[in-house]
Amino acid sequence: MSKKLFMFEKPLGMRDTLPFLYEMKKRVRQAMADEIEKWGYEFIETPTLEYYETVGSVSAIADHRLFKLLDQQGHTLVLRPDMTAPIARLAASRLYKDGNPLRLAYNANVFRAQQHEGGRPAEFEQIGVECIGDGTIAADAEVISLMIAMLKRAGLQHFTVTIGHIGYVNALFLEILGNEERASVLRRFLYEKNYVGYREHVQSLPLSSIDQKRLLQLLSLRGCGMMLEEAKEVIHCEEGKRAAEELAALLRALGMYGVADAVKFDLTLVSHMSYYTGILFEVYAEHVGFPIGNGGRYDDLLEKFAHKAPATGFGIRVDRLIEALGESEAEPNIECIVFSQERFAEAIELAAAKRREGKRVVLQHISGIRDIDAYSKRYPSMTYLLGSKEKE
Amino acid sequence: MLTVAMPKGRIFEEAVELLRKADYTLPPEFAESRKLVIEVPEENMRFILAKPMDVVTYVEHGVADLGIAGKDVMMEEERDVYELLDLKISKCHLAVAGLPGVRMNQIAPRVATKYPNIASSYFREQGEQVEIIRLNGSIELAPLIGLADRIVDIVSTGRTLKENGLVEFEKIADVTSRLIVNPVSYRMKDEAIDRLVERLSAVIPQ
């Protein structure tokens, strides 16, 4: 027999989900979706394929990580690399009409091609919300609190949300360096997490020692709310002070939500999502080396779809969250009824009755089973309806 | 508890010396041990010993919170980790070397290296098209027996090059060891890491 090449192979980074993992995902997804709905957000769906020119180019995912293909007319399409850009498109075109806040939620797979180590997922599920048209700090506090509530509902215990403010970083760089070009060089070091390079670059700049010190001080602006006072002193311009004040107001609001313990601040946080304009955040869990979710304010994104509106939101990566939660014991409780031909009708009736009670029931003809011992081990409960019906 | 990935070999001893200078109590048999995991409960730390090239991988995946890795490895691997401190130990540099007087072959220019990414981007930046041949060690052998006209490798004293009759043509970058940190650990264990950074910065040779 000739074996086909790639018979069991999948394209790089694509994965099957087997029943065990599916059950876990479903539980976690349902718990979080339920929490989202309780906060009044409404779920939507958008297409898997979008135009490269629109959604593809405004999404913050690097070009070489997009899956691209052509439609029959030769237009370039992308598999959606994130959900924020499609929702911005949708909101700008259809839903965001009267200028009042809009609360939308999504649960969808996104696609990002991987370069390192082939096994990393290139398709993964995200669940999250977007709050569009509300520029208040109360909205930032709401989405962060909702994210924390969702993670708790999913059963995650030890996690930290780190909050930064890209407006603060930009204002500080612009204030000291004078132009956007020089600022972007420094921002790149932060983005690449290269603090050694950042320090070396700052020391090589023709700046006063005070300004150099302020730039270096940025690297230590992290910790709890106390740090925000220091942040306010480091910066002089109006815009920067306002950013620091926004963070302080956010902390007060999170305090009212009762979640201030779960957050920390870090002004060096810059995201790979380049569309963020203000407060931004990432969430980390113990024993998982990568962030399990992130979000922030993106006040300029909707403008790209000809409809200016402030917005904020987040996405949680379901696969990493499940990794953080660890394997759970709970197995799906599926019963099995094995029947022979004579008692087919009776078996159908019994299965229907159990299903009406909400049970999950497998109905299996005895002739279809090859090894009854192995088969019966698969289900916690077995009922046999075999042979001619006995008189009872 | 902090888990630190240490590179075996050249950098290891200098790194241990630096940690001792920073007043970390490390067991005396630390360097001789063949164990791959060494617990130091007095410091609430655990050390794992890994191949230098693998340190960044352990740290990126978060199984080690911190690591000590050469800038050469950082440049080659481009992993998503924080590069917090230049420890200024194990100084050397990345260079292009070859046999004296030998020009690059015009028909089939070949470069042998342990660092295919660095070599490839270096020559691409110069606008030169070369074939990169990946080797795992004894790179100096390649020009001697005609596998490649040039090699890209780290040079510390230059002795190995000299003994094999090779000369350095161009310097690519300076290399020292760096303290690297996993992005999640950097946030989840910020206090412990900040303390370690503080103690180390105080003793880094200037």
Side-chain angles (χ1 to χ4, degrees):
Chain A
M1 202 177 88
S2 78
K3 214 173 182 180
K4 268 195 206 135
L5 189 63
F6 299 141
M7 185 159 58
F8 296 127
E9 279 293 320
K10 294 167 294 260
L12 196 65
M14 297 295 164
R15 289 182 181 183
D16 300 317
T17 302
L18 300 182
F20 164 74
L21 186 57
Y22 185 88
E23 288 287 334
M24 279 196 71
K25 271 184 164 175
K26 190 179 81 181
R27 254 200 320 276
V28 167
R29 181 193 299 135
Q30 274 173 355
M32 290 196 291
D34 185 56
E35 190 68 27
I36 288 175
E37 283 175 341
K38 285 202 171 129
W39 290 52
Y41 286 74
E42 292 171 283
F43 276 90
I44 54 151
E45 286 178 344
T46 68
T48 310
L49 289 173
E50 294 270 1
Y51 281 121
Y52 172 67
E53 297 256 315
T54 56
V55 170
S57 63
V58 306
S59 101
I61 305 303
D63 204 65
H64 65 271
R65 297 194 59 192
L66 299 177
F67 283 98
K68 300 189 197 93
L69 52 156
L70 297 177
D71 71 4
Q72 285 170 322
Q73 285 77 40
H75 301 297
T76 310
L77 309 177
V78 293
L79 288 172
R80 61 172 173 237
D82 70 356
M83 278 303 286
T84 303
I87 289 180
R89 171 186 59 68
L90 170 74
S93 68
R94 299 284 299 280
L95 293 173
Y96 184 65
K97 288 295 176 212
D98 59 2
N100 281 323
L102 196 60
R103 285 175 168 76
L104 299 174
Y106 62 91
N107 176 203
N109 286 9
V110 299
F111 304 83
R112 294 174 198 166
Q114 297 296 331
Q115 318 122 67
H116 284 302
E117 292 164 10
R120 285 197 193 176
E123 174 182 14
F124 48 85
E125 182 178 344
Q126 274 192 333
I127 184 165
V129 307
E130 310 291 350
C131 178
I132 292 162
D134 190 341
T136 65
I137 295 296
D140 293 285
E142 174 179 299
V143 297
I144 292 172
S145 306
L146 169 55
M147 184 176 76
I148 292 171
M150 280 164 66
L151 292 172
K152 284 185 180 157
R153 271 291 294 279
L156 191 65
Q157 283 166 3
H158 302 288
F159 60 92
T160 301
V161 180
T162 297
I163 304 172
H165 197 305
I166 192 69
Y168 181 90
V169 178
N170 289 340
L172 181 70
F173 286 176
L174 213 56
E175 171 181 312
I176 295 176
L177 301 169
N179 68 47
E180 183 49 40
E181 204 182 332
R182 288 191 212 148
S184 74
V185 176
L186 260 190
R187 204 163 35 235
R188 195 173 168 78
F189 283 113
L190 283 190
Y191 165 66
E192 287 175 349
K193 304 187 169 65
N194 181 355
Y195 288 7
V196 173
Y198 179 94
R199 281 193 214 101
E200 280 169 3
H201 185 74
V202 166
Q203 272 146 11
S204 75
L205 290 169
L207 294 171
S208 70
S209 62
I210 295 167
D211 282 347
Q212 283 196 357
K213 199 171 149 239
R214 285 162 66 201
L215 285 176
L216 295 179
Q217 221 174 330
L218 175 66
L219 297 185
S220 59
L221 289 179
R222 61 195 209 113
C224 56
M226 307 260 281
M227 176 278 289
L228 294 175
E229 284 306 310
E230 193 188 341
K232 230 180 281 177
E233 280 162 28
V234 172
I235 204 152
H236 302 152
C237 68
E238 199 57 40
E239 223 182 320
K241 295 235 185 254
R242 196 166 54 236
E245 185 44 51
E246 276 180 19
L247 287 174
L250 177 68
L251 182 61
R252 287 193 294 275
L254 292 173
M256 288 190 272
Y257 272 106
V259 295
D261 290 348
V263 306
K264 281 179 184 169
F265 291 93
D266 186 338
L267 285 170
T268 63
L269 188 71
V270 291
S271 173
H272 65 281
M273 300 295 204
S274 54
Y275 47 57
Y276 289 133
T277 53
I279 287 166
L280 75 170
F281 49 91
E282 284 186 349
V283 55
Y284 313 98
E286 267 178 357
H287 310 304
V288 178
F290 307 91
I292 56 173
N294 72 301
R297 183 162 276 290
Y298 51 98
D299 288 349
D300 298 336
L301 185 62
L302 263 79
E303 206 176 350
K304 305 218 164 115
F305 298 100
H307 227 103
K308 192 167 170 52
T312 178
F314 65 82
I316 291 172
R317 274 190 66 157
V318 177
D319 56 343
R320 288 190 182 151
L321 172 60
I322 282 177
E323 196 185 332
L325 289 169
E327 289 187 17
S328 73
E329 300 298 313
E331 288 204 357
N333 200 11
I334 301 177
E335 294 180 24
C336 183
I337 301 170
V338 176
F339 64 93
S340 60
Q341 189 60 35
E342 302 91 321
R343 300 176 71 179
F344 199 174
E346 185 192 345
I348 290 175
E349 208 172 292
L350 180 62
K354 282 180 183 285
R355 284 171 187 152
R356 272 195 300 276
E357 287 167 27
K359 288 185 176 141
R360 297 170 72 175
V361 184
V362 166
L363 195 56
Q364 175 63 52
H365 195 299
I366 184 80
S367 308
I369 302 173
R370 199 175 278 180
D371 178 348
I372 186 73
D373 287 339
Y375 190 74
S376 63
K377 279 192 192 113
R378 213 188 280 174
Y379 301 101
S381 151
M382 301 286 292
T383 309
Y384 297 95
L385 300 177
L386 304 173
S388 56
K389 195 165 183 178
E390 289 160 32
K391 300 274 178 302
E392 279 165 33
Chain B
M1 186 169 76
L2 290 177
T3 302
V4 185
M6 300 282 278
K8 285 196 280 195
R10 198 170 55 90
I11 312 176
F12 182 78
E13 273 159 50
E14 286 182 67
V16 169
E17 196 187 322
L18 193 70
L19 283 166
R20 289 216 168 100
K21 240 194 255 170
D23 229 9
Y24 282 94
T25 328
L26 304 177
E29 72 282 3
F30 204 63
E32 288 89 52
S33 175
R34 296 227 158 191
K35 278 200 209 152
L36 296 176
V37 180
I38 302 171
E39 308 270 351
V40 186
E42 308 88 64
E43 298 288 357
N44 203 14
M45 281 164 99
R46 179 170 69 168
F47 292 87
I48 59 174
L49 303 187
K51 280 256 183 200
M53 280 281 187
D54 293 338
V55 166
V56 282
T57 311
Y58 286 103
V59 174
E60 186 187 37
H61 284 262
V63 288
D65 300 306
L66 305 109
I68 292 176
K71 182 67 183 171
D72 51 335
V73 180
M74 302 288 295
M75 287 166 69
E76 176 65 20
E77 296 279 321
E78 292 190 329
R79 299 299 184 133
D80 190 26
V81 295
Y82 279 98
E83 188 179 324
L84 283 193
L85 282 180
D86 183 350
L87 299 174
K88 307 223 169 118
I89 54 172
S90 312
K91 278 190 190 156
C92 56
H93 61 274
L94 277 160
V96 183
L99 283 167
V102 173
R103 276 202 319 153
M104 194 80 116
N105 186 321
Q106 297 298 302
I107 300 163
R110 294 200 178 96
V111 176
T113 184
K114 233 179 357 186
Y115 304 95
N117 291 333
I118 296 175
S120 143
S121 63
Y122 178 75
F123 284 99
R124 259 186 292 137
E125 274 165 28
Q126 322 271 313
E128 287 188 53
Q129 34 182 359
V130 297
E131 181 186 341
I132 306 289
I133 299 171
R134 194 213 158 110
L135 295 178
N136 289 307
S138 306
I139 314 295
E140 295 80 10
L141 196 55
L144 300 180
I145 59 156
L147 177 65
D149 314 311
R150 294 284 186 271
I151 60 170
V152 167
D153 204 5
I154 44 170
V155 181
S156 39
T157 58
R159 217 179 110 199
T160 321
L161 286 183
K162 209 170 169 191
E163 282 181 4
N164 289 290
L166 301 177
V167 291
E168 182 179 327
F169 290 113
E170 293 138 65
K171 179 164 152 182
I172 298 178
D174 283 310
V175 171
T176 48
S177 296
R178 310 292 160 101
L179 180 73
I180 60 172
V181 180
N182 172 273
V184 175
S185 303
Y186 188 53
R187 302 273 154 54
M188 297 286 286
K189 303 183 178 175
D190 52 347
E191 280 161 25
I193 288 172
D194 282 348
R195 262 200 308 280
L196 180 114
V197 166
E198 218 168 90
R199 278 168 78 174
L200 279 176
S201 346
V203 295
I204 289 173
Q206 286 308 316

